[in-house]
Amino acid sequence: MSDSADDDTPMLGMDLPETAPQASSGPYRVLARKYRPQTFAELIGQDAMVKTLGNAIARDRLAHAFLMTGVRGVGKTSTARLIAKALNCIGPDGQGGPTIDPCGVCEPCRAITEGRHIDVIEMDAASNTGVDDVREIIEAVRYAAVSARYKIYIIDEVHMLSRNAFNALLKTLEEPPAHVKFLFATTEVNKVPVTVLSRCQRFDLRRITPDMLFAHFSSILQKEGVEAEAPAIWLIASAAEGSVRDGLSILDQAIAHADLDGGGKISAEQVRAMLGLSDRSAIAQLMTTILEGEAGGAIDLARAQYALGIEPIAMVRGLMELTHAVTLAKVSRHDDPALAAADRERIAEWAQKMGFAPLNRLWQLLLKGHDEVLRANNPLEHLEMLLLRVIYAASMPDPGELAKLLESGGVRTAAPGAPAASTAPDQAAVDATSGAPEGSASEPPSLTAAQLHHLLETAGHHRLAGLVYDHLNIIALDPGVLAYAPAPALGDGFARDISEALFAATGSRWQVRTDEGEGRPSLGQMRAAKLADNEARIRELPVVKAALAAFPDAKLEASPDNRHRTGS
């Protein structure tokens, strides 16, 4: 399929239908021209549009202007030519009317196919953009068709017309004579003025799916008498990106490539080499070294691929495709027919081992690096730096995980068997909650520092609880006795206030006094010391060291939700 005339004949050039290879008597014709659809049945992937046109023709409800839009190579210009034949077909006996199945043998059908029909005018708007070009159309539409039922104007890439040209065409486009039909084709419908769009019946041609392209290319290869591996056809269908014409151009090249290599069979390896795609096995090896943190191995593999002619950007795209495949495999949505069984097993294994968070970080790093490598003056150097960045940053815990590690002390940097970090004081307070004393009139309860803090909090003495947590250095804490080291932050009335609070909470009298000595660290001081120790151990982790080296101004902080709030 094609969007524009690519014939060797003048502007109106069209192609005769062919279903079998030609003899070598004439010049070779590329597959995109040779297999241009000549009937609506051969137009693949546009069933909705064909049904709409068929119903409109059957009910004699034909619009005076049609606009075909879509990506390159999906059949916009081919559709316009088919509509021209459908409207002007008279049947083999010369008595037929408009039909969705033009016969292809009557004089109008043959003349339109051969590009010699005087009433079907095809214009390339890219080279005829001005008002003068449109004025010729405006003057000519007044005259009836010479020999056809309708005079048809096919304007390809209509968005290229100038604003003045569009304005000049508006009146004629809105109220054309009954014998005139306008057929527009464009790849950039957003550039067509709304005033023009509102006067046309619009058809959005769909991007052709890889399944349809695979079947179409397989059929053409059979007609051409060329053998091809199924993965090779899938690769071509994928590289076509929904465009039949692009795919046929690649297929043409693949056939020539296979012939030159001998044997005449198209293999997946040949297609990959021809398209400059990175080798799947090499990309899988590169991904393995990244996940295992082998920086030197990753650099060596990248340089080896570069020496073989693989562009650095192709390697980045290969890593991105593999990351995407693994992520889809985690949700059971990965289905690539071009993959070998070994590749499927490898992707399934990675999907089982890796979580969504590491995969997302890996994707984001590769996505950012893709643009850097693409714009780089020396792509290989940028690729190597990107690989090092991915290796040292992809497996690093995210900020939330780091905050939890800081809070819980769950990071182990010592050798296996080393003692674990001590329990956090605030965690001890939580554990002691269930054992908090209810108080007794006859005997004061036995309390720990954490239980004392918790008791004051639950009794509503938040200010006292905050002072106990932050500044109370206990020398002795026995049933009914609390001795502590003096501290200016506690204030003069602290002993009296806490004694009254304990009496109200426990029903027992407490002796609260200051003693000589430094006392034990307060709960807040113990927690701060533990966090400092945890931070020191976390800073020794290789991934954190690498992150801090790359970002010297970065800091490790506990999340706000996990910080202990005092005095509240």
Side-chain angles (χ1 to χ4, degrees):
M1 285 177 213
S2 177
D3 292 342
S4 60
D6 50 1
D7 235 319
D8 294 331
T9 57
M11 184 186 301
L12 303 181
M14 300 182 187
D15 301 312
L16 286 169
E18 296 188 29
T19 57
Q22 280 187 322
S24 59
S25 57
Y28 177 71
R29 303 173 70 197
V30 296
L31 298 179
R33 292 179 55 197
K34 188 175 182 179
Y35 292 97
R36 184 190 297 275
Q38 302 299 327
T39 66
F40 281 104
E42 297 176 6
L43 190 66
I44 63 173
Q46 312 301 340
D47 297 339
M49 181 195 66
V50 173
K51 183 178 180 180
T52 302
L53 285 173
N55 292 341
I57 291 173
R59 297 174 182 177
D60 195 20
R61 299 179 64 88
L62 289 169
H64 58 269
F66 297 89
L67 174 69
M68 274 67 67
T69 179
V71 299
R72 67 194 185 281
V74 293
K76 298 183 294 296
T77 307
S78 295
T79 299
R81 294 172 179 173
L82 290 175
I83 293 175
K85 286 202 295 183
L87 297 182
N88 286 323
C89 178
I90 59 175
D93 57 358
Q95 303 299 317
T99 174
I100 196 65
D101 296 312
C103 65
V105 297
C106 66
E107 178 56 25
C109 283
R110 293 185 61 83
I112 292 172
T113 300
E114 295 169 6
R116 55 181 174 82
H117 203 296
I118 194 172
D119 293 319
V120 178
I121 301 95
E122 185 169 345
M123 185 181 87
D124 177 20
S127 55
N128 300 274
T129 62
V131 176
D132 292 338
D133 301 303
V134 172
R135 187 176 293 118
E136 293 179 9
I137 297 176
I138 297 173
E139 293 174 354
V141 296
R142 296 180 295 174
Y143 303 103
V146 176
S147 62
R149 186 178 295 111
Y150 294 103
K151 178 180 285 189
I152 295 177
Y153 290 90
I154 299 175
I155 303 181
D156 202 4
E157 300 301 334
V158 69
H159 67 272
M160 298 294 290
L161 289 178
S162 66
R163 179 180 295 275
N164 291 335
F166 274 123
N167 291 335
L169 187 61
L170 284 180
K171 187 62 178 177
T172 303
L173 185 61
E174 184 173 14
E175 298 178 358
H179 61 271
V180 174
K181 302 291 182 186
F182 288 98
L183 305 177
F184 301 144
T186 178
T187 54
E188 300 184 51
V189 69
N190 59 301
K191 294 184 179 180
V192 179
V194 178
T195 50
V196 174
L197 293 176
S198 64
R199 291 166 167 81
C200 301
Q201 191 170 101
R202 173 174 167 175
F203 292 103
D204 289 86
L205 276 67
R206 296 182 177 182
R207 189 185 296 268
I208 312 302
T209 64
D211 291 343
M212 292 180 178
L213 291 175
F214 178 85
H216 186 56
F217 296 161
S218 298
S219 173
I220 289 177
L221 286 171
Q222 187 175 5
K223 294 175 183 178
E224 293 290 315
V226 177
E227 294 185 21
E229 297 177 355
I233 304 177
W234 280 114
L235 285 172
I236 296 173
S238 176
E241 296 181 346
S243 169
V244 179
R245 184 176 61 240
D246 286 11
L248 289 176
S249 298
I250 297 173
L251 187 61
D252 235 333
Q253 186 180 357
I255 293 174
H257 191 80
D259 288 339
L260 290 174
D261 287 349
K265 185 174 183 179
I266 303 174
S267 66
E269 290 75 11
Q270 291 172 335
V271 172
R272 284 193 166 277
M274 180 189 73
L275 296 177
L277 300 175
S278 54
D279 181 63
R280 285 187 186 272
S281 60
I283 291 297
Q285 278 185 290
L286 187 57
M287 179 66 84
T288 301
T289 58
I290 290 174
L291 297 180
E292 293 178 353
E294 298 180 6
I299 297 297
D300 292 341
L301 284 172
R303 291 178 177 176
Q305 286 289 291
Y306 184 75
L308 293 175
I310 305 300
E311 292 297 327
I313 192 64
M315 287 183 259
V316 178
R317 287 171 181 161
L319 289 172
M320 293 179 68
E321 290 175 3
L322 192 52
T323 304
H324 178 254
V326 174
T327 306
L328 289 184
K330 286 191 69 66
V331 293
S332 303
R333 289 296 183 273
H334 180 252
D335 183 20
D336 186 354
L339 281 181
D343 295 327
R344 292 176 182 273
E345 292 176 2
R346 184 185 296 113
I347 289 175
E349 181 181 355
W350 280 335
Q352 186 177 6
K353 291 181 178 179
M354 298 181 68
F356 282 110
L359 284 170
N360 181 61
R361 287 197 296 274
L362 181 58
W363 173 264
Q364 294 297 330
L365 289 166
L366 291 172
L367 184 62
K368 185 176 185 298
H370 177 274
D371 292 339
E372 296 176 357
V373 175
L374 189 62
R375 298 192 305 265
N377 293 328
N378 192 327
L380 181 60
E381 288 183 358
H382 280 69
L383 173 63
E384 292 175 351
M385 295 303 294
L386 171 62
L387 292 176
L388 294 176
R389 186 195 313 164
V390 169
I391 289 173
Y392 287 110
S395 59
M396 185 177 68
D398 59 34
E401 292 174 347
L402 281 175
K404 291 179 181 178
L405 292 173
L406 283 168
E407 181 69 21
S408 64
V411 178
R412 296 175 59 94
T413 58
S422 60
T423 305
D426 49 336
Q427 183 65 37
V430 174
D431 296 339
T433 300
S434 60
E438 298 180 358
S440 170
S442 59
E443 183 178 351
S446 176
L447 296 175
T448 64
Q451 289 172 334
L452 173 62
H453 170 263
H454 178 72
L455 182 64
L456 294 171
E457 278 281 0
T458 54
H461 301 288
H462 302 301
R463 184 186 66 84
L464 288 175
L467 292 174
V468 168
Y469 189 89
D470 291 330
H471 305 292
L472 186 64
N473 302 120
I474 298 175
I475 296 175
L477 181 57
D478 299 318
V481 177
L482 170 60
Y484 61 93
L490 295 177
D492 296 335
F494 175 76
R496 180 188 68 253
D497 294 340
I498 197 170
S499 177
E500 294 176 356
L502 286 173
F503 175 74
T506 65
S508 302
R509 290 293 179 182
W510 283 72
Q511 181 185 357
V512 181
R513 67 177 187 273
T514 58
D515 277 353
E516 296 294 332
E518 295 182 357
R520 298 190 295 272
S522 68
L523 296 175
Q525 292 166 345
M526 292 171 61
R527 179 175 181 274
K530 186 207 67 164
L531 290 180
D533 180 64
N534 285 344
E535 180 175 341
R537 288 186 285 117
I538 287 177
R539 286 179 178 273
E540 292 301 316
L541 292 175
V543 293
V544 178
K545 275 187 174 181
L548 293 176
F551 307 99
D553 296 332
K555 296 180 180 180
L556 297 178
E557 292 185 0
S559 62
D561 292 340
N562 290 331
R563 294 188 183 124
H564 181 81
R565 294 177 296 174
T566 62
S568 60

